Amino acid sequence: MASKIKHPELADRGRLQIEWAEKHMPVVAKFIRERFAAEKPLNGIRVGAVLHVTKETAALVRTLVAGGAVVRLAASNPLSTQDDVAAALASEEGIEVCAWRGMSEDEYFDCIRWIASWEPNIVIDDGGDLHATLHKEYLDIAARVWGGTEETTTGVIRLRAMEREGVLKYPAIAVNDAKTKMMFDNRYGTGQSAIDGILRATNILLAGKRVVVAGYGWVGRGIAIRARGMGARVIVTEVDPIKALEAVMDGFEVMPMKEAAKIGDVFITATGNKKVIRREHFEVMKDGAILANAGHFNVEIWVPDLEELAVSKRQVRPYVTEYTLADGRKIYLLAEGRLVNLVAAEGHPSEVMDMSFANQALSVEYLVKSRGKLEPKVYNVPREIDEEVARLKLKAMGIEIDKLTEEQKQYLESWKL
Amino acid sequence: MASKIKHPELADRGRLQIEWAEKHMPVVAKFIRERFAAEKPLNGIRVGAVLHVTKETAALVRTLVAGGAVVRLAASNPLSTQDDVAAALASEEGIEVCAWRGMSEDEYFDCIRWIASWEPNIVIDDGGDLHATLHKEYLDIAARVWGGTEETTTGVIRLRAMEREGVLKYPAIAVNDAKTKMMFDNRYGTGQSAIDGILRATNILLAGKRVVVAGYGWVGRGIAIRARGMGARVIVTEVDPIKALEAVMDGFEVMPMKEAAKIGDVFITATGNKKVIRREHFEVMKDGAILANAGHFNVEIWVPDLEELAVSKRQVRPYVTEYTLADGRKIYLLAEGRLVNLVAAEGHPSEVMDMSFANQALSVEYLVKSRGKLEPKVYNVPREIDEEVARLKLKAMGIEIDKLTEEQKQYLESWKL
Amino acid sequence: MASKIKHPELADRGRLQIEWAEKHMPVVAKFIRERFAAEKPLNGIRVGAVLHVTKETAALVRTLVAGGAVVRLAASNPLSTQDDVAAALASEEGIEVCAWRGMSEDEYFDCIRWIASWEPNIVIDDGGDLHATLHKEYLDIAARVWGGTEETTTGVIRLRAMEREGVLKYPAIAVNDAKTKMMFDNRYGTGQSAIDGILRATNILLAGKRVVVAGYGWVGRGIAIRARGMGARVIVTEVDPIKALEAVMDGFEVMPMKEAAKIGDVFITATGNKKVIRREHFEVMKDGAILANAGHFNVEIWVPDLEELAVSKRQVRPYVTEYTLADGRKIYLLAEGRLVNLVAAEGHPSEVMDMSFANQALSVEYLVKSRGKLEPKVYNVPREIDEEVARLKLKAMGIEIDKLTEEQKQYLESWKL
Amino acid sequence: MASKIKHPELADRGRLQIEWAEKHMPVVAKFIRERFAAEKPLNGIRVGAVLHVTKETAALVRTLVAGGAVVRLAASNPLSTQDDVAAALASEEGIEVCAWRGMSEDEYFDCIRWIASWEPNIVIDDGGDLHATLHKEYLDIAARVWGGTEETTTGVIRLRAMEREGVLKYPAIAVNDAKTKMMFDNRYGTGQSAIDGILRATNILLAGKRVVVAGYGWVGRGIAIRARGMGARVIVTEVDPIKALEAVMDGFEVMPMKEAAKIGDVFITATGNKKVIRREHFEVMKDGAILANAGHFNVEIWVPDLEELAVSKRQVRPYVTEYTLADGRKIYLLAEGRLVNLVAAEGHPSEVMDMSFANQALSVEYLVKSRGKLEPKVYNVPREIDEEVARLKLKAMGIEIDKLTEEQKQYLESWKL
């Protein structure tokens, strides 16, 4: 086997993990897999995937293999690999893995090259490094790739830039933008897991606490509603007046961060911007304030300012750093300002990854079926796939919905002219 | 005065009504009006408006006049005119009104022609009859109109059809599609007023009732969340699997209407489609079921089927019709299947009309300022106007929000490339 | 017929009203009535009742008659009689009514004496005036009364005082204190109907408004949760630190009225105390503040202070009085500070009166069955009756619940020793 | 030092833990401690305490010592001791500890005897074993004890039995029954921590899941509202019709467990009874059902039935046991049916223990001050202490509340006669 992994002895434990994930990913691991196994739509297709090597990714990869594909999988982040899952996957037919936790940046890119140079037919990426590497170092190969998909906002932005510059070599599907991905994993996935991460890190009682949520996009409103659901008194901060007004109409207090900073007990950033909480805010916070980031990289809470203001710092619990300021106030930073749901909890629950990865699996199939028919552009996930994912998810939950009658369809048509 | 109204003696009462509305419409009746009064951006402009003649419309008209405009106002519906408001408006300088409750269809169109033939510079419409009349009967005048606005989905659809067919004669702004209109009046306005209408009509206790909401668009989710807020056990029906899945993730029960029909206590339609509740559903409903429509015309609940199934019917309370079926079951239809929030309550609260009409006022100003620069197409409300409306509404509520720093703006720019 | 009513011609309309109420009072008007009709537990019993003469009371009276009783009914408030309902009741066999809207105080007490002097076996009272009259003016008759019930807190307090002083002549059941009465009509009934009354009176949008609820007892928490359910930002004021802390843990803002007065948009009192909102609060309120009382008599909002502060007042909508203060601020008082849910809406929905009056009906039966076995004391509603009411209500809603197994019963017993 | 602990080397880590707890226990660790340190109300008093040796208990013990007491502390459960906390406490002046995780039952009772034989003035107990041991084995000493407190329902039941039998030797305060204990730690503490435990054990997405909560007491309603707050569709089961009806009116689905068993995704028991989920329920559950107990001992979910039905079992994640039934269905039991919030999460957050232990500290002070004035009975926590705890908690949160004016006090008095 060609796999490059660290702990083959953990395969059994990895299998248990994958089994648990697949139990909660019926769309990918049951419905689509069963059809793929019967129809083999990916027969002999080489799929190169750069994804977080987790139990949920394993479910996707195994479904692709069930559809007939041969898969090479590399890590999309040097730190996110679950070594036991990597081991379990590497032990399976048709799957090769290049991933271990704690790989260096060179090793990280070596694994990506190991995929690119393999001449994949279809590529799946999470962040855009595979797409970029293909277009920079393997242009010939890129030109022969049938199509690719992209899981993240960042990656889609990079792909669109390539499209604008006219250098994109193959059609790419922005899985990130699928409704059944974006509206669900951000709102329901991060909404829950951010709360979960904060509880695991701190074990504080949320009831009655003033929780300040910065940003009222999908992530922010997911967190705000969950925090309220735990009994917190929630304050929202925003820069967009329309979103701010929605927050007010949804019953939340809205105010500038400078005011919220004075009264908040817990702060959660979810803006996609940098320096959302910074020196001027740290300076007025209450003793004991807790800070967590659920939005973006570790730039939303501007840690350098906190480091400067602090006279000392120490770790008081796992993932909790206590900063003592000159006047004696203590501020608690969770997960060093990194994504609290990933670091202090387990990231998105399998159920939301089920929807995201169902879009991946069906988009890969679509790219194979559409070979030669698509231009080298960035495409949205076709509406039919988006709806099919929702339909299968509902089916998995045992939920039926209405269907339009012919007469109703005509009526709606007549409306839209 | 040229006004054609029915009850000039009600002007005093009308003034009281307008005052109450304006108290709750600070964006239109205070902020924009004060600026208009100072800047006179509409000086001498003839504005022809076909709108529901209500206290909220009065606030808009008076603000246009404060900006220097001369306004002719006709009713956009033969039944919706508040005669006291019409009288109060007609008594003011710069405003002429052609509207009375219970006008005939001929009279209705006569009023519209009375506006069209006046050669307005700017036209405001609610439903598209003024736009249509101008393009059918007054093509010369239409060609000289500077621009128009449209308040409703129906009207916007008609305008877009005219645009597609290449017959549209002036630029038109789809006020209906403004975020600060669509996302607020449907969700928060109808959400509350539908519940209000049902309570006024029936005085039932909602706590513990099974309330079935058909449709999970803006209106449906507004109603669903308010019904839950009153303690109801809410069931959502949908035809769109993505919306259905959102409803489930928001904690609602989701099932086909055929199932919901068997267990629901109250049914509220909000789909924009016809025959959403029909014979097959009436046949299985519980004795005592209550039906209300909050979505569209009186076609969502298919009353003809109910009429056929019933062995007798009678009115048991204002706006409540009792249908007795052959097996003795009684079904209660509110407001004859018309919009329950308009018929049994007072329609949208002034606060949401404030946002809708702020878009109107600013769009009229925009059309005047952009005279000659726009093509005869359907335009969205400019993002700046949409945000300005939200900003003024927040200001009226005494709410401040954050502003991006220069560094943050650059950071976001760098993201979007 | 001996009835003293005002509008016998309204009997038909009254019957329609009663029918609507009974449709929503299945416990009283179906389950208990059917059993009473079969078993006749009140055969020949004279029941004297002083209650609000409403459609819901009609349902109770008709059930007592179905059980064999002969009933005399008088109004418990000179202003609350629905004349059409009085007429419909007076037209039925076995029922005599002495009640009309707008009776004088003398007439009011004459009707009560008309009942007392009739030598009733069982008395039902709402406020204690019948009990008091019997004990003051008809002591001989009181001594022969088998037992009585009392619907209100006030009445129970008066009865307990009589018990303490040793003057109570018959056993009295504090229906007011039944769990299925007190916990339900206050929380769910007033919770909804207070919101309903405010909407009918003002038609304001609650979403985003700051609603201040004074008092976090059953009524206050019912209102607070419904106001939040309508999208309001809710502030609670309290004098009891334990209740205040519950409010905080339930996610509400809590502050003294003096602070809340400055920022509230709508104020709803539900404390059972006087002068909860007074001069010092009026003085700092925002222009446009709306005041409503849902708790007690018209003493919670101290209107005399408002009258003194105001330079003018006028009615701007039904049930809305505008007070203009010296500095130009306008404050809006609803229903003159009386109970907003009774005055501006229709009071408790029939569904909660169903539970309250089911306790009445079963308590009357219990008093008859227990004749001679009870002492002249104030009794709670027997736990079995309380539970039976809940059980029947659940049955009416089609809801089944679990039953303890024998083993579980023993386990619990062993716990309690 | 006389302490009997296992890991003195962990004292530093324990201190960090205690510090974190005390940061979130301002009532016990700041307000009461500061007063105690100034007033020394427990000067020289020997306090014997049998409590879970956790960081929160440490905060209580240290406050008693600050008040002048000398404390001996033993574990109230052989498995619950945090060895690092025990070490940190044992290193402090005035505190001796007898506790280590994993002690045998003999060792457990030896520690209790080590306290009893020390002739404590005041005893604090959690479960009643110290009270029982004193009354069985050290009757002379018991007779000289000034008074005791009890933290749990179980312990209070045992004390009341002793009182009834006339054998109780000293006054005992039922801290468990304080409002600021019972209404808060059950509802808000267990409500949150049960959800927390389930998330840590399973990482499932709660949004859209059907969560069945057995029991609608304080614990059950706390869990139900938090589960709804996470987006779950919540079903409540009950045996008490009044509580069941409350659940319905609060908007929850209510049905017998036999029906709920067929459709639930997650089951959480909180009844205080045994065999709430048993063979007949396991038999109809869906594949993948997850079971957790948050109520009582490990008897609510009747594991023996599950063991019998299963053809195999294995641990698939920490605290998750998978049972495979004969038909292939898999059922997942969390924490072996023990308290999921204690086993899989960290039990009550410090914030609620703050209130519980504030009652302990003030009750101990009260017992000292009342020496000789109380009878050997079970007393409730005095209302003043209960309110003082709430008042201090509000103060710690920076929340002020209203005070009754003299006039209002008189008004209320006049009401109560």
Side-chain angles (χ1 to χ4, degrees), chain A residues 16-17 19-20 23-24 55-56 188-189 191-193 195-196 199-210 225-233 286-288 290 314-317 320 322 328-330 332 334 345-352 397 399, chain D residues 16-17 19-20 23-24 55-56 188-189 191-193 195-196 199-210 225-233 286-288 290 314-317 320 322 328-330 332 334 345-352 397 399:
Chain A
L16 220 51
Q17 291 270 56
E19 215 179 304
W20 181 254
K23 195 89 191 169
H24 297 98
K55 58 191 190 299
E56 288 82 13
Y188 306 110
Q192 172 179 301
S193 59
I195 299 295
D196 186 14
L199 290 185
R200 294 194 201 198
T202 67
N203 202 42
I204 57 168
L205 181 75
L206 285 176
K209 287 277 192 309
R210 275 219 185 83
I225 207 155
R226 293 293 171 256
R228 171 190 281 172
M230 298 304 274
R233 299 178 289 159
K286 294 197 297 187
D287 178 43
I290 292 172
R314 58 176 182 162
Q315 189 178 329
V316 294
R317 279 171 63 102
V320 182
E322 177 189 85
R329 281 178 303 126
K330 293 171 193 303
Y332 298 91
L334 306 192
E346 299 178 52
H348 287 316
S350 303
E351 286 91 339
V352 298
M397 301 176 91
I399 292 169
Chain D
L16 220 50
Q17 291 270 57
E19 213 177 306
W20 182 254
K23 194 91 191 168
H24 298 97
K55 58 190 190 298
E56 288 81 14
Y188 307 110
Q192 172 179 301
S193 59
I195 298 295
D196 187 15
L199 290 186
R200 294 194 202 197
T202 66
N203 201 43
I204 57 167
L205 182 75
L206 285 175
K209 288 277 192 310
R210 275 220 185 82
I225 207 154
R226 292 293 171 255
R228 170 189 281 174
M230 296 304 273
R233 298 177 289 158
K286 294 196 298 186
D287 178 43
I290 292 172
R314 58 177 182 160
Q315 188 178 329
V316 294
R317 280 171 62 103
V320 182
E322 177 189 84
R329 280 179 303 124
K330 292 171 193 306
Y332 298 90
L334 306 192
E346 299 176 52
H348 287 317
S350 304
E351 285 91 338
V352 297
M397 301 176 91
I399 292 169

Side-chain angles (χ1 to χ4, degrees), chain B residues 267-382:
Chain B
F267 297 79
I268 312 174
T269 50
T271 70
N273 209 329
K274 70 191 289 194
K275 296 193 177 183
V276 176
I277 303 184
R278 52 187 182 263
R279 175 180 287 268
E280 61 181 312
H281 306 125
F282 299 134
E283 285 174 347
V284 297
M285 281 182 182
K286 294 196 298 187
D287 179 44
I290 292 172
L291 313 180
N293 171 38
H296 198 51
F297 309 129
N298 58 342
V299 297
E300 300 220 7
I301 299 167
W302 198 243
V303 182
D305 280 356
L306 193 52
E307 294 276 347
E308 269 182 45
L309 284 169
V311 296
S312 72
K313 83 174 191 193
R314 59 175 182 162
Q315 189 179 329
V316 295
R317 279 170 64 102
Y319 312 121
V320 182
T321 308
E322 178 189 84
Y323 287 87
T324 303
L325 308 192
D327 58 5
R329 280 178 302 126
K330 293 170 194 305
I331 290 180
Y332 297 91
L333 178 66
L334 306 192
E336 300 171 14
R338 295 173 188 280
L339 284 168
V340 73
N341 61 331
L342 283 174
V343 178
E346 299 177 52
H348 287 316
S350 304
E351 287 90 339
V352 298
M353 294 314 298
D354 192 24
M355 298 177 67
S356 176
F357 283 169
N359 279 291
Q360 286 284 9
L362 297 180
S363 292
V364 166
E365 180 189 30
Y366 175 79
L367 285 170
V368 168
K369 285 196 173 153
S370 309
R371 188 187 171 191
K373 295 180 202 147
L374 301 171
E375 295 175 72
K377 288 185 171 170
V378 180
Y379 288 87
N380 285 326
V381 171

Side-chain angles (χ1 to χ4, degrees), chain C residues 28-29 32-43 59-71 92-93 95:
Chain C
V28 166
I32 296 178
R33 188 178 296 170
E34 285 173 359
R35 181 169 67 74
F36 273 21
E39 301 178 3
K40 297 285 176 196
L42 312 181
N43 222 7
L60 169 62
V61 168
R62 299 179 75 233
T63 288
L64 297 175
V65 170
V70 185
V71 179
E92 296 203 14
E93 194 81 23
I95 306 174

Side-chain angles (χ1 to χ4, degrees), chain C residues 3 23-24 44 51 57 77 121 123 161 169 184 205-206 221 243 257 263 275 346 354 367 369 380 400:
Chain C
S3 285
K23 194 91 191 168
H24 298 97
L51 291 165
T57 293
N77 182 305
N121 304 120
V123 289
K169 288 295 173 199
F184 289 80
L205 181 75
L206 285 175
R221 61 189 71 193
K243 286 180 183 163
M257 182 56 83
I263 57 176
K275 295 194 178 180
E346 299 177 52
D354 192 24
L367 284 170
K369 286 195 172 153
N380 285 327
E400 278 182 80

Side-chain angles (χ1 to χ4, degrees), chain A residues 77-112:
Chain A
N77 182 306
L79 291 169
S80 65
T81 298
Q82 296 169 352
D83 285 320
D84 51 0
V85 169
L89 275 181
S91 75
E92 295 202 16
E93 194 79 23
I95 306 174
E96 291 173 353
V97 182
C98 185
W100 59 95
R101 183 175 295 253
M103 58 202 326
S104 71
E105 203 179 316
D106 279 354
E107 290 165 336
Y108 168 75
F109 278 106
D110 282 348
C111 285
I112 289 180

Side-chain angles (χ1 to χ4, degrees), chain D residues 86-101:
Chain D
L89 275 180
S91 75
E92 295 203 14
E93 194 79 23
I95 307 173
E96 292 173 353
V97 183
C98 186
W100 59 94
R101 183 175 296 253

